[in-house]
Amino acid sequence: MEKLQQGTTAFRKANFALFAGGFITFSILYDVQPLLPIFTKEFNVTAATGSLTLSVTTFTLAISMLFISSLSEAWGRKPIMSASLLLSSLIVIFTAFSPTFSSLLGFRVLQGMVLAGLPAIAMAYLGEEVEPRSLGIAMGIYISGNSIGGMAGRIITGSITDLFSWRIAMGSIGFISLILSIWFWFHLPNSRHFTPKPLELKALSKSLVGHLKDPALLCLFCIAFILMGSFVTLYNYIGFELLAPPYHLSQTIVGWIFIVYLTGTFSSTWMGRLSDTLGRQKVLWIGLVIMVTGALLTLFALLLFKIIGIAVFTFGFFGAHSIASSWVGRRAREAKAQASSLYLFFYYSGSSIAGTAGGFFWSKFGWEGVIGFIVCLLLLAFPLSLKLSSIKPLQATN
């Protein structure tokens, strides 16, 4: 049976469905980020505590992804992805009615567990169902759904909150996601090249431990923690800074700042090509230097410098992340899916742990404390990338 090819109706359906799936997943995951200052006021909690509404979701997502990819080997790709999107959409709607901060956190914990169903499986589905010459564009469309969804979720919630309330904003995200989830269910082609395999947790554990024993992969996992930890920390607390004096920006304007995500679409491709010329380590360093520069620019009081700094920081993050994540695929000799899952585990763990820790620096030292924390984190990535260059490659192609 032929695989999906570019130009066919089935290929277009698969692409649009997975674009929608990525859009849903990341809009739901990050829709709370511009709302953190609102939560601190309404529920009378600190900035660090308020940030848990994102941190607990990314952490449970990280853990769940380690196992759901293996479950899909036995249960199938489309059923798990469809169930993940439908349940996630319903949970967002329930979250909008949270009477207390504890119930809000409870729904967000459950959200992370359920959301893991799509990102853990989507790339495996594409790899099985799309013919090799069309795979690049299919992956690109799916990933663009991720970035656009993350950006749109923040902008939509910020804007609707300004007009009505955060509860209506989250309910709107849930309703939009539910419609798109139903569309995904009916339009994603069924798997034709998937062969169920028995669930072997022992083999999964063995491969995960094996990857953690590889010093190069361990360095890359730690870099993932640092990159995402610093990135989420900046975006978690920039809203607090810009809503306060002397800026007094509206929730809508703060939400629209996330449009700088579009710089990542260019930087990830540009740095990927640059690494073919200069080498992965040098380009990773370039990305880190750009991130540090962008973070320091936000220390200037002038609003224009802050926005430019955020854009520069975002540009460097997506470029560095694209280098580190592709390096994992090159380094892992076997069980590549588990290696990628571990990378994402550390990636989202950084979001959870550093993203919350940044709140303590905000409370004690303000924006200067947040940037100091971010810069210190990023400086740790330089010796890790230097260590990578001293480790002998496992494959000649590396």
Side-chain angles (χ1 to χ4, degrees):
M1 197 174 292
E2 289 187 359
K3 292 192 174 187
L4 301 177
Q5 296 181 12
Q6 190 174 353
T8 62
T9 301
F11 181 81
R12 285 192 293 272
K13 282 186 175 182
N15 276 325
F16 285 133
L18 284 169
F19 176 91
F23 181 96
I24 294 165
T25 301
F26 285 85
S27 63
I28 289 174
L29 181 61
Y30 291 110
D31 61 357
V32 298
Q33 199 165 43
L35 304 178
L36 300 186
I38 304 290
F39 294 151
T40 60
K41 291 179 181 178
E42 179 162 335
F43 296 108
N44 193 28
V45 296
T46 65
T49 303
S51 72
L52 289 173
T53 54
L54 177 59
S55 297
V56 296
T57 310
T58 53
F59 188 68
T60 52
L61 173 77
I63 295 173
S64 300
M65 286 181 68
L66 292 174
F67 302 100
I68 288 182
S69 58
S70 297
L71 288 177
S72 74
E73 297 287 351
W75 297 352
R77 313 295 192 199
K78 183 178 176 179
I80 292 181
M81 289 192 288
S82 299
S84 169
L85 296 176
L86 287 166
L87 289 173
S88 296
S89 302
L90 292 172
I91 292 171
V92 181
I93 295 172
F94 295 146
T95 304
F97 296 96
S98 301
T100 64
F101 187 72
S102 297
S103 61
L104 176 62
L105 283 185
F107 280 124
R108 292 294 292 176
V109 168
L110 186 60
Q111 189 75 82
M113 296 170 63
V114 175
L115 268 180
L118 187 108
I121 300 169
M123 289 189 178
Y125 172 91
L126 286 171
E128 291 166 350
E129 303 301 323
V130 177
E131 58 99 14
R133 288 174 298 177
S134 304
L135 187 57
I137 188 171
M139 286 285 190
I141 291 171
Y142 164 65
I143 291 171
S144 67
N146 296 348
S147 59
I148 293 173
M151 180 182 68
R154 293 167 167 104
I155 291 173
I156 291 170
T157 51
S159 301
I160 295 179
T161 297
D162 232 6
L163 292 172
F164 303 103
S165 71
W166 70 268
R167 296 180 186 278
I168 293 177
M170 293 197 75
S172 300
I173 290 287
F175 180 74
I176 293 169
S177 298
L178 185 60
I179 298 300
L180 289 175
S181 298
I182 294 170
W183 192 89
F184 175 95
W185 185 14
F186 282 104
H187 285 82
L188 183 73
N190 293 321
S191 297
R192 297 184 299 174
H193 300 274
F194 168 77
T195 304
K197 301 174 184 176
L199 188 61
E200 297 180 358
L201 293 179
K202 185 177 180 181
L204 170 64
S205 301
K206 185 178 179 180
S207 66
L208 292 178
V209 172
H211 289 319
L212 289 172
K213 289 181 178 179
D214 183 340
L217 285 176
L218 191 56
C219 285
L220 288 167
F221 298 154
C222 291
I223 289 171
F225 181 99
I226 290 167
L227 289 175
M228 190 57 165
S230 59
F231 182 71
V232 167
T233 299
L234 185 137
Y235 275 97
N236 272 0
Y237 303 103
I238 191 63
F240 290 91
E241 172 78 354
L242 297 180
L243 289 169
Y247 308 104
H248 294 293
L249 296 187
S250 68
Q251 195 72 48
T252 300
I253 299 291
V254 171
W256 274 97
I257 286 174
F258 292 104
I259 202 167
V260 299
Y261 257 51
L262 295 176
T263 63
T265 305
F266 170 73
S267 69
S268 56
T269 305
W270 178 70
M271 287 197 183
R273 290 174 180 169
L274 193 62
S275 68
D276 293 333
T277 305
L278 299 180
R280 293 189 296 276
Q281 185 206 3
K282 289 182 180 178
V283 177
L284 180 58
W285 276 40
I286 290 171
L288 292 169
V289 169
I290 291 172
M291 289 181 73
V292 171
T293 303
L296 294 176
L297 280 174
T298 67
L299 290 174
F300 287 92
L302 190 65
L303 180 60
L304 179 62
F305 276 103
K306 287 195 183 293
I307 294 174
I308 291 173
I310 295 168
V312 170
F313 182 88
T314 304
F315 182 95
F317 165 76
F318 278 103
H321 168 48
S322 68
I323 297 300
S325 58
S326 64
W327 205 331
V328 170
R330 291 171 179 264
R331 176 71 186 185
R333 288 182 297 182
E334 55 188 23
K336 291 179 181 287
Q338 276 74 33
S340 296
S341 294
L342 269 175
Y343 177 87
L344 291 173
F345 172 78
F346 278 82
Y347 182 78
Y348 286 115
S349 295
S351 168
S352 303
I353 297 170
T356 297
F360 295 103
F361 288 90
W362 166 259
S363 298
K364 293 288 185 182
F365 309 107
W367 186 244
E368 291 79 8
V370 172
I371 295 303
F373 173 62
I374 288 171
V375 170
C376 288
L377 262 181
L378 291 172
L379 290 177
L380 293 175
F382 285 95
L384 286 170
S385 62
L386 187 63
K387 174 70 175 175
L388 275 171
S389 66
S390 67
I391 297 173
K392 184 179 179 181
L394 293 177
Q395 299 175 350
T397 55
N398 280 18

